Amino acid sequence: MTEPAQSAPATDASLLDAVREQAHAGLPATIADLSRLVRIPSVSWPAFDQSQVQRSAEAVVELATSTGLFDDVRIVRSAESGGADDADSATGEPSLGQPAVLATRGARDGRPTVMLYAHHDVQPQGDDALWETPPFEPTLRGERLYGRGAADDKAGVVTHIAALRVLRAVLGDDPDLGIVLFVEGEEEAGSRSFATFLREQHDALAADVIIVADSDNWSTEVPAITATLRGNVTFKLTVSTLEHASHSGMFGGAAPDAMIPMARLLASFHAPDGQPAVEGLRSYDGPVPERSTDQLAAEAAFLPGVQPVGTGPVLGRMWYQPSITVTGMDIPSVANASNTLLPTVSARVSVRVAPGQSAREAFDAIDRHVRSNVPFGAHVTISDLDTGDGFLVDTRGWAVQEARTAMREGWGAEPVEQGIGGSIPFVSDLAQQFPDAQILITGVEDPDTRAHSPNESLHLGVLHRGITAEAILLVRLALRDQG
Ligand SMILES: [Zn+2]
């Protein structure tokens, strides 16, 4: 066995020059397109003005049409909203999913088809007082463009548009590459009709390579390919010992309250060093860049003297190992505490699952652990279960090698393969619907982007390099012989 090549052969020098020139020349128009999108407050949460999401979809249709590359451009809504609470309260009719933009052109002559994914909806602006500039008025300060959605993910939308314009300028208006542009309108509301939408539009969306532009980079100078995502399992854990509360002075010492078995059960989830101790929860084994525990302590704002938990490299703990956290409990408040033995208590448990292990398998392991570790014969129930699978890119695939070359040429720096400790559930939906597609998770965010927070911003140098790299990748795919 030989090691897989680290990257594909370099791009032809004159093509590369042409791409770089066009990417640079198109930048002012792209920033203007982005500014126009940011001015539309397309918050997809049900409590917000949904006509703005429609307006922003219409603006994306205009952008897609302007590339001159698509046979068909339209707004599509899933027939199902995916959320039971989403029915129209006036008519009782189930409402439709949010407007997505779908633009397609067919592949020819054995060339691959690429799907370009981004989303045009945004998070609410949150507390206006915390914004230094108006959230829906794009504002340039230094090298950064500020505004809600300026990065997440309207920058992803315009990166695809700009890269397509470069492709057309370099290879002409009739390339053999198949292209699907899919710009979702409800990612920030949980992509609730996403799986249904993928099934309904399966044939229109089918692609060999999927480029998701909704993630971040290692720094403003170094690109990243997001290669792993953790999955998640959350549930409500209830422990009960008594049919009703009793006086703790009368019965304490002989009758078990529910809190002590709950505490012991929760404590059993970890070894003394903080490493998860649930048999059957797996870890992924992969290399990680160096990060010191001091840097971790600074970034996560540890109090003085507090030690990190877990074992192994710091980033490996956050990217490749499972973690178990208790994020809430239903118990009497301290102010309302009376001298009684608590008959029942509940906790919300949040588990991050290592990439490569299914959320269902991880849940089964935790379920077994809970049932065999609860003391005093206390009754346990698990309810409100929510699971999302993680994701593991096969980085030996040819599309990753192509992307690595394109990023090196577009950024002038070797890309870092990174994991994400959080979950992007729609990525596993994509992988499930299109098991043969190679999925590349990229984006134009950087560590200072503050997506979802006040003062969200996009670094314009990252935008420029991201567009250049994606355009190089599209040109390479357009010239790639599948046979
Ligand atoms: Zn996003």
Side-chain angles (χ1 to χ4, degrees):
M1 275 290 289
T2 51
E3 283 292 300
Q6 281 306 294
S7 58
T11 309
D12 172 85
S14 62
L15 266 181
L16 200 52
D17 282 346
V19 169
R20 286 179 175 143
E21 200 182 306
Q22 291 296 329
H24 183 257
L27 207 54
T30 295
I31 294 168
D33 292 338
L34 176 59
S35 300
R36 189 178 152 219
L37 290 181
V38 171
R39 287 194 180 93
I40 306 171
S42 52
V43 180
S44 53
W45 293 19
F48 289 75
D49 178 3
Q50 302 298 286
S51 69
Q52 301 293 351
V53 186
Q54 176 68 23
R55 270 185 71 210
S56 107
E58 287 163 8
V60 174
V61 164
E62 277 179 40
L63 291 176
T65 306
S66 77
T67 65
L69 286 169
F70 293 108
D71 306 325
D72 183 47
V73 181
R74 61 208 154 97
I75 291 178
V76 188
R77 290 163 179 263
S78 170
E80 280 175 42
S81 70
D85 55 337
D86 220 23
D88 186 306
S89 54
T91 63
E93 293 288 311
S95 57
L96 300 172
Q98 294 284 11
V101 176
L102 187 53
T104 50
R105 79 172 272 125
R108 282 191 315 240
D109 292 341
R111 303 301 176 193
T113 294
V114 63
M115 182 211 288
L116 307 176
Y117 169 93
H119 61 89
H120 68 88
D121 65 315
V122 297
Q123 287 275 321
Q125 74 266 32
D127 186 350
D128 265 328
L130 297 175
W131 283 82
E132 289 162 15
T133 61
F136 296 106
E137 183 50 47
T139 309
L140 187 61
R141 286 191 292 159
E143 283 186 289
R144 307 193 72 97
L145 185 74
Y146 288 80
R148 171 58 80 231
D152 182 14
D153 185 30
K154 289 172 171 174
V157 176
V158 300
T159 296
H160 291 325
I161 298 293
L164 289 169
R165 287 177 183 152
V166 174
L167 174 76
R168 184 173 192 249
V170 173
L171 294 186
D173 59 8
D174 199 17
D176 293 333
L177 181 68
I179 308 169
V180 178
L181 177 70
F182 172 28
V183 183
E184 191 196 351
E186 58 181 42
E187 199 277 337
E188 302 294 6
S191 298
R192 288 191 297 175
S193 64
F194 195 76
T196 311
F197 187 93
L198 295 187
R199 278 194 299 276
E200 290 167 350
Q201 303 295 332
H202 184 277
D203 293 350
L205 290 166
D208 302 292
V209 179
I210 298 174
I211 303 177
V212 172
D214 193 21
S215 190
D216 66 355
N217 292 285
W218 188 249
S219 71
T220 57
E221 306 297 326
V222 178
I225 296 178
T226 299
T228 64
L229 300 168
R230 287 198 290 191
N232 69 285
V233 171
T234 56
F235 57 89
K236 181 178 171 184
L237 176 65
T238 300
V239 174
S240 306
T241 50
L242 305 169
E243 283 186 10
H244 57 76
S246 298
H247 194 290
S248 60
M250 299 277 287
F251 293 100
D257 72 296
M259 192 61 211
I260 296 303
M262 172 65 93
R264 283 178 50 179
L265 187 52
L266 297 179
S268 74
F269 286 155
H270 296 91
D273 62 4
Q275 185 75 7
V278 174
E279 200 178 321
L281 279 188
R282 291 196 267 124
S283 294
Y284 174 71
D285 189 20
V288 286
E290 177 66 27
R291 179 159 309 177
S292 70
T293 50
D294 286 348
Q295 198 181 341
L296 169 73
E299 286 171 353
F302 285 24
L303 293 174
V306 171
Q307 306 290 315
V309 295
T311 55
V314 168
L315 288 176
R317 297 180 216 179
M318 298 190 286
W319 293 355
Y320 297 156
Q321 293 189 31
S323 70
I324 309 173
T325 318
V326 176
T327 55
M329 288 191 80
D330 286 340
I331 51 173
S333 67
V334 170
N336 287 316
S338 64
N339 291 328
T340 50
L341 301 175
L342 299 177
T344 184
V345 295
S346 296
R348 186 87 181 147
V349 180
S350 166
V351 181
R352 298 290 175 173
V353 180
Q357 181 165 38
S358 81
R360 188 69 223 184
E361 185 187 296
F363 171 71
D364 288 343
I366 294 158
D367 188 48
R368 277 195 306 275
H369 178 95
V370 164
R371 294 185 196 287
S372 54
N373 280 276
V374 63
F376 312 135
H379 295 193
V380 286
T381 55
I382 289 179
S383 57
D384 301 351
L385 175 65
D386 190 24
T387 59
D389 280 330
F391 184 66
L392 191 56
V393 179
D394 181 359
T395 52
R396 294 162 308 174
W398 60 261
V400 173
Q401 311 309 331
E402 293 284 351
R404 203 172 277 161
T405 297
M407 282 182 169
R408 184 186 313 112
E409 292 173 343
W411 286 68
E414 195 65 37
V416 170
E417 242 173 53
Q418 68 180 0
I420 299 265
S423 312
I424 311 182
F426 75 76
V427 172
S428 58
D429 288 339
L430 279 172
Q432 247 161 40
Q433 263 314 304
F434 303 104
D436 296 330
Q438 300 182 68
I439 301 180
L440 303 170
I441 305 173
T442 68
V444 282
E445 297 177 19
D446 71 87
D448 290 325
T449 289
R450 299 196 202 172
H452 298 198
S453 301
N455 306 306
E456 174 181 350
S457 68
L458 170 74
H459 188 282
L460 294 183
V462 171
L463 178 69
H464 184 189
R465 292 185 272 282
I467 289 168
T468 309
E470 186 168 312
I472 294 169
L473 179 56
L474 292 180
V475 168
R476 295 178 65 92
L477 294 178
L479 300 175
R480 184 185 165 91
D481 198 334
Q482 290 283 80

